[in-house]
Amino acid sequence: MDIRIEMSYQTPKGTTTSFQSEEMNPGKAILIAEDLEKSGRAKQIKFLDSRDTEWTLKELKKFIAEIETEPHNVTVYFDGGFDQALRHSGLGCVIYYEQNGKSLRLRKNAQVEELDTNNEAEYAAFHLALQELAFMGVHDLPVTFIGDSQVVLHQLSGEWPCYEIELSKWIDRIETQLDKLGIDPSYQLVSRKLNKEADQLATQALRGINITGTKEVN
């Protein structure tokens, strides 16, 4: 969750104006707000998240304390592959997150047989990542989803229409799960080269190599 600060500022002679900061992480927002309060010139300091929900300083501190023991600062990479000859799909996802002061990475892949196109495999990989987020207990947080599928990311963001019935079903499943978890998604399109971890997992799944694991990363 990113926070912006809104406040009124008053000079020693009583001249006032209003300011709004750029978005920043909650910890940084608290440090800046407390420093502003010490000056004695900042008035009516407000904290607003991306949904324009207002937070008090006390609420923000409590939020930080609570999420420290839960997964947060979550970024998801996903990729799906489809073998036309074998009619198999390989799904892969990599989830980076922080928990208990550690930076962690979860890798997961799966092979499925009931899909018919590469685009379906890409959607299924995204859905696999959502399932893992649910298992991890991720909820009521912003999450960045990164992939190399223009179709999936542009359709989920609403930039492209979807006319295919099967893909529409995947969109409905994904949006339902996002709502259920309270996840506020943002989408980032990258080249296949920058999505190599998820791509490798999808390829390994197609070869029947199953991977599931979490490790600490720098």
Side-chain angles (χ1 to χ4, degrees), residues 65-85:
E66 289 176 346
I67 69 168
E68 185 61 27
T69 59
E70 300 179 357
H72 57 282
N73 291 341
V74 182
T75 300
V76 175
Y77 291 81
F78 71 96
D79 195 34
F82 181 68
D83 188 316
Q84 183 72 38

mmCIF file of all heavy atoms in Angstrom, residues 65-85:
data_model
loop_
_atom_site.group_PDB
_atom_site.id
_atom_site.type_symbol
_atom_site.label_atom_id
_atom_site.label_comp_id
_atom_site.label_asym_id
_atom_site.label_seq_id
_atom_site.Cartn_x
_atom_site.Cartn_y
_atom_site.Cartn_z
ATOM 1 N N ALA A 65 2.625 -2.429 11.942
ATOM 2 C CA ALA A 65 2.954 -3.459 12.934
ATOM 3 C C ALA A 65 2.276 -4.780 12.610
ATOM 4 O O ALA A 65 2.862 -5.861 12.774
ATOM 5 C CB ALA A 65 2.545 -2.981 14.326
ATOM 6 N N GLU A 66 1.038 -4.722 12.113
ATOM 7 C CA GLU A 66 0.286 -5.945 11.820
ATOM 8 C C GLU A 66 0.799 -6.666 10.574
ATOM 9 O O GLU A 66 0.888 -7.895 10.559
ATOM 10 C CB GLU A 66 -1.196 -5.610 11.646
ATOM 11 C CG GLU A 66 -1.887 -5.235 12.949
ATOM 12 C CD GLU A 66 -3.328 -4.810 12.736
ATOM 13 O OE1 GLU A 66 -3.695 -4.556 11.561
ATOM 14 O OE2 GLU A 66 -4.081 -4.737 13.726
ATOM 15 N N ILE A 67 1.144 -5.900 9.521
ATOM 16 C CA ILE A 67 1.548 -6.570 8.277
ATOM 17 C C ILE A 67 2.971 -7.102 8.328
ATOM 18 O O ILE A 67 3.346 -7.915 7.481
ATOM 19 C CB ILE A 67 1.397 -5.640 7.056
ATOM 20 C CG1 ILE A 67 2.430 -4.503 7.109
ATOM 21 C CG2 ILE A 67 -0.006 -5.115 6.922
ATOM 22 C CD1 ILE A 67 2.524 -3.735 5.804
ATOM 23 N N GLU A 68 3.758 -6.661 9.305
ATOM 24 C CA GLU A 68 5.145 -7.106 9.363
ATOM 25 C C GLU A 68 5.238 -8.626 9.462
ATOM 26 O O GLU A 68 6.159 -9.245 8.922
ATOM 27 C CB GLU A 68 5.865 -6.450 10.549
ATOM 28 C CG GLU A 68 7.347 -6.751 10.623
ATOM 29 C CD GLU A 68 8.129 -6.271 9.411
ATOM 30 O OE1 GLU A 68 7.709 -5.296 8.752
ATOM 31 O OE2 GLU A 68 9.178 -6.882 9.117
ATOM 32 N N THR A 69 4.283 -9.257 10.160
ATOM 33 C CA THR A 69 4.305 -10.708 10.320
ATOM 34 C C THR A 69 3.559 -11.429 9.197
ATOM 35 O O THR A 69 3.532 -12.658 9.172
ATOM 36 C CB THR A 69 3.687 -11.106 11.673
ATOM 37 O OG1 THR A 69 2.341 -10.623 11.734
ATOM 38 C CG2 THR A 69 4.490 -10.515 12.826
ATOM 39 N N GLU A 70 2.963 -10.674 8.286
ATOM 40 C CA GLU A 70 2.235 -11.259 7.162
ATOM 41 C C GLU A 70 2.963 -10.917 5.857
ATOM 42 O O GLU A 70 3.745 -9.965 5.798
ATOM 43 C CB GLU A 70 0.807 -10.715 7.109
ATOM 44 C CG GLU A 70 -0.016 -11.014 8.346
ATOM 45 C CD GLU A 70 -1.416 -10.428 8.266
ATOM 46 O OE1 GLU A 70 -1.718 -9.746 7.263
ATOM 47 O OE2 GLU A 70 -2.197 -10.643 9.203
ATOM 48 N N PRO A 71 2.720 -11.692 4.791
ATOM 49 C CA PRO A 71 3.326 -11.349 3.501
ATOM 50 C C PRO A 71 2.892 -9.963 3.036
ATOM 51 O O PRO A 71 1.706 -9.629 3.070
ATOM 52 C CB PRO A 71 2.787 -12.441 2.562
ATOM 53 C CG PRO A 71 2.395 -13.568 3.454
ATOM 54 C CD PRO A 71 1.906 -12.914 4.717
ATOM 55 N N HIS A 72 3.849 -9.150 2.595
ATOM 56 C CA HIS A 72 3.536 -7.819 2.087
ATOM 57 C C HIS A 72 4.594 -7.416 1.064
ATOM 58 O O HIS A 72 5.547 -8.142 0.836
ATOM 59 C CB HIS A 72 3.446 -6.792 3.227
ATOM 60 C CG HIS A 72 4.682 -6.702 4.075
ATOM 61 N ND1 HIS A 72 4.984 -7.627 5.047
ATOM 62 C CD2 HIS A 72 5.693 -5.802 4.096
ATOM 63 C CE1 HIS A 72 6.127 -7.301 5.628
ATOM 64 N NE2 HIS A 72 6.584 -6.199 5.056
ATOM 65 N N ASN A 73 4.407 -6.234 0.444
ATOM 66 C CA ASN A 73 5.273 -5.812 -0.671
ATOM 67 C C ASN A 73 5.386 -6.944 -1.700
ATOM 68 O O ASN A 73 6.480 -7.401 -2.041
ATOM 69 C CB ASN A 73 6.655 -5.403 -0.169
ATOM 70 C CG ASN A 73 6.617 -4.116 0.639
ATOM 71 O OD1 ASN A 73 5.677 -3.334 0.552
ATOM 72 N ND2 ASN A 73 7.639 -3.894 1.457
ATOM 73 N N VAL A 74 4.240 -7.377 -2.190
ATOM 74 C CA VAL A 74 4.148 -8.575 -3.033
ATOM 75 C C VAL A 74 4.232 -8.223 -4.529
ATOM 76 O O VAL A 74 3.528 -7.332 -5.005
ATOM 77 C CB VAL A 74 2.827 -9.323 -2.767
ATOM 78 C CG1 VAL A 74 2.755 -10.599 -3.607
ATOM 79 C CG2 VAL A 74 2.693 -9.643 -1.281
ATOM 80 N N THR A 75 5.090 -8.949 -5.228
ATOM 81 C CA THR A 75 5.203 -8.840 -6.689
ATOM 82 C C THR A 75 5.128 -10.233 -7.284
ATOM 83 O O THR A 75 5.816 -11.151 -6.818
ATOM 84 C CB THR A 75 6.526 -8.175 -7.109
ATOM 85 O OG1 THR A 75 6.597 -6.860 -6.556
ATOM 86 C CG2 THR A 75 6.634 -8.078 -8.629
ATOM 87 N N VAL A 76 4.301 -10.402 -8.314
ATOM 88 C CA VAL A 76 4.073 -11.707 -8.930
ATOM 89 C C VAL A 76 4.508 -11.699 -10.394
ATOM 90 O O VAL A 76 4.129 -10.817 -11.160
ATOM 91 C CB VAL A 76 2.577 -12.100 -8.860
ATOM 92 C CG1 VAL A 76 2.332 -13.401 -9.617
ATOM 93 C CG2 VAL A 76 2.122 -12.214 -7.422
ATOM 94 N N TYR A 77 5.318 -12.692 -10.770
ATOM 95 C CA TYR A 77 5.638 -12.954 -12.173
ATOM 96 C C TYR A 77 4.905 -14.228 -12.584
ATOM 97 O O TYR A 77 4.882 -15.200 -11.826
ATOM 98 C CB TYR A 77 7.140 -13.163 -12.365
ATOM 99 C CG TYR A 77 7.981 -11.926 -12.170
ATOM 100 C CD1 TYR A 77 8.330 -11.492 -10.893
ATOM 101 C CD2 TYR A 77 8.437 -11.186 -13.262
ATOM 102 C CE1 TYR A 77 9.109 -10.358 -10.705
ATOM 103 C CE2 TYR A 77 9.221 -10.052 -13.092
ATOM 104 C CZ TYR A 77 9.548 -9.648 -11.810
ATOM 105 O OH TYR A 77 10.314 -8.516 -11.628
ATOM 106 N N PHE A 78 4.310 -14.236 -13.773
ATOM 107 C CA PHE A 78 3.585 -15.426 -14.220
ATOM 108 C C PHE A 78 3.848 -15.682 -15.700
ATOM 109 O O PHE A 78 4.156 -14.767 -16.465
ATOM 110 C CB PHE A 78 2.078 -15.271 -13.978
ATOM 111 C CG PHE A 78 1.420 -14.261 -14.894
ATOM 112 C CD1 PHE A 78 0.780 -14.678 -16.065
ATOM 113 C CD2 PHE A 78 1.456 -12.909 -14.614
ATOM 114 C CE1 PHE A 78 0.193 -13.755 -16.924
ATOM 115 C CE2 PHE A 78 0.869 -11.983 -15.464
ATOM 116 C CZ PHE A 78 0.236 -12.404 -16.619
ATOM 117 N N ASP A 79 3.713 -16.952 -16.096
ATOM 118 C CA ASP A 79 3.867 -17.295 -17.512
ATOM 119 C C ASP A 79 3.207 -18.646 -17.770
ATOM 120 O O ASP A 79 3.196 -19.522 -16.896
ATOM 121 C CB ASP A 79 5.336 -17.358 -17.910
ATOM 122 C CG ASP A 79 5.530 -17.341 -19.420
ATOM 123 O OD1 ASP A 79 4.731 -16.671 -20.112
ATOM 124 O OD2 ASP A 79 6.455 -17.993 -19.928
ATOM 125 N N GLY A 80 2.668 -18.793 -18.965
ATOM 126 C CA GLY A 80 2.058 -20.057 -19.363
ATOM 127 C C GLY A 80 2.547 -20.466 -20.734
ATOM 128 O O GLY A 80 2.784 -19.617 -21.598
ATOM 129 N N GLY A 81 2.721 -21.765 -20.927
ATOM 130 C CA GLY A 81 3.140 -22.292 -22.218
ATOM 131 C C GLY A 81 2.200 -23.400 -22.660
ATOM 132 O O GLY A 81 1.619 -24.104 -21.824
ATOM 133 N N PHE A 82 2.069 -23.571 -23.972
ATOM 134 C CA PHE A 82 1.145 -24.572 -24.508
ATOM 135 C C PHE A 82 1.843 -25.409 -25.570
ATOM 136 O O PHE A 82 2.435 -24.874 -26.509
ATOM 137 C CB PHE A 82 -0.084 -23.886 -25.113
ATOM 138 C CG PHE A 82 -1.116 -24.821 -25.674
ATOM 139 C CD1 PHE A 82 -1.850 -25.646 -24.829
ATOM 140 C CD2 PHE A 82 -1.356 -24.889 -27.035
ATOM 141 C CE1 PHE A 82 -2.802 -26.511 -25.333
ATOM 142 C CE2 PHE A 82 -2.301 -25.749 -27.550
ATOM 143 C CZ PHE A 82 -3.039 -26.559 -26.698
ATOM 144 N N ASP A 83 1.806 -26.727 -25.398
ATOM 145 C CA ASP A 83 2.379 -27.655 -26.368
ATOM 146 C C ASP A 83 1.256 -28.126 -27.293
ATOM 147 O O ASP A 83 0.404 -28.923 -26.895
ATOM 148 C CB ASP A 83 3.021 -28.845 -25.641
ATOM 149 C CG ASP A 83 3.806 -29.744 -26.571
ATOM 150 O OD1 ASP A 83 3.313 -30.051 -27.682
ATOM 151 O OD2 ASP A 83 4.922 -30.145 -26.196
ATOM 152 N N GLN A 84 1.266 -27.627 -28.516
ATOM 153 C CA GLN A 84 0.204 -27.923 -29.477
ATOM 154 C C GLN A 84 0.117 -29.410 -29.795
ATOM 155 O O GLN A 84 -0.976 -29.971 -29.922
ATOM 156 C CB GLN A 84 0.448 -27.133 -30.764
ATOM 157 C CG GLN A 84 -0.631 -27.285 -31.829
ATOM 158 C CD GLN A 84 -1.922 -26.571 -31.453
ATOM 159 O OE1 GLN A 84 -1.888 -25.494 -30.871
ATOM 160 N NE2 GLN A 84 -3.057 -27.161 -31.787
ATOM 161 N N ALA A 85 1.250 -30.073 -29.901
ATOM 162 C CA ALA A 85 1.270 -31.484 -30.278
ATOM 163 C C ALA A 85 0.723 -32.375 -29.163
ATOM 164 O O ALA A 85 -0.086 -33.272 -29.407
ATOM 165 C CB ALA A 85 2.685 -31.902 -30.645
#
